[in-house]
Amino acid sequence: MADRDAIAYYRTSSAANVGADKDSLERQRSAVESYAKRAGLQVVAEFYDAAVSGADPIDTRAGFAAALERIAGNGVRKIIVETASRFARDLIVQEVGYRMLCERGIELIAADSPEGFADDTPTARLIRQILGAVSEFEKAALVAKLRGARDRKSREVGRRIEGRRPVPADAVVLARRLNRKSKSGGRPSLRTISARLAEAGHLAPSGAPYGTESVKRMIAR
């Protein structure tokens, strides 16, 4: 069942620890597979970033990017790592990455401490609060920038230029409902949800079905 499937992610910092005669990758694989067996999970794919620093943002890593692409296509919603530091050694990078995965509905599990990423320590809370404040500031700044651009354009053309129309609340509710897991444990694709929304009369302002990115934003709200 899809809800028992998981993806393994491995990372080695130093090129000196990469190779068939080194134990870093095999140690990580052994820890992940042992945890998966105990938890009743099935590792269906492995992704590896060799000689990649734990301080590098996760979205710049080729191996992790490939893992996210695989997840987007097969419905797996669990990633297992040997330890939290294998995911990211820098705490801020770790929290940013963990938050990004949570927003996508992906569960991150450290084999040595399955509840570790959800620990509510004072440091973790502080970082999450800072990240939340930064996110709100960036959002407000973007809104103000777009409003200013529209106002300038309105003055140039002599008429009011409107921003993007908000998605109707009932369309958002339906998109979320359609995204629920089926009895078999899988989820429909974003394109399938878009088609179902169109069948229910929910279309983009252009009159076409909503694009996959729009559907993704509805689900993430």
Side-chain angles (χ1 to χ4, degrees), residues 168-184:
D170 52 345
V172 174
V173 171
L174 178 56
R176 288 178 175 175
R177 186 163 68 245
L178 292 171
N179 188 52
R180 292 173 183 167
K181 289 183 179 179
S182 65
K183 292 182 178 179
S184 63

Side-chain angles (χ1 to χ4, degrees), residues 74-93:
N74 67 2
V76 175
R77 286 295 178 271
K78 292 180 177 65
I79 296 178
I80 309 174
V81 294
E82 179 196 21
T83 65
S85 65
R86 287 302 97 198
F87 175 62
R89 190 170 296 280
D90 183 281
L91 186 54
I92 292 181
V93 172

Side-chain angles (χ1 to χ4, degrees), residues 168-172 174-175 194-204 208-210 218:
D170 52 345
V172 174
L174 178 56
S194 173
R196 295 286 299 278
L197 286 171
E199 290 173 2
H202 297 298
L203 299 171
Y210 283 105
M218 292 183 207

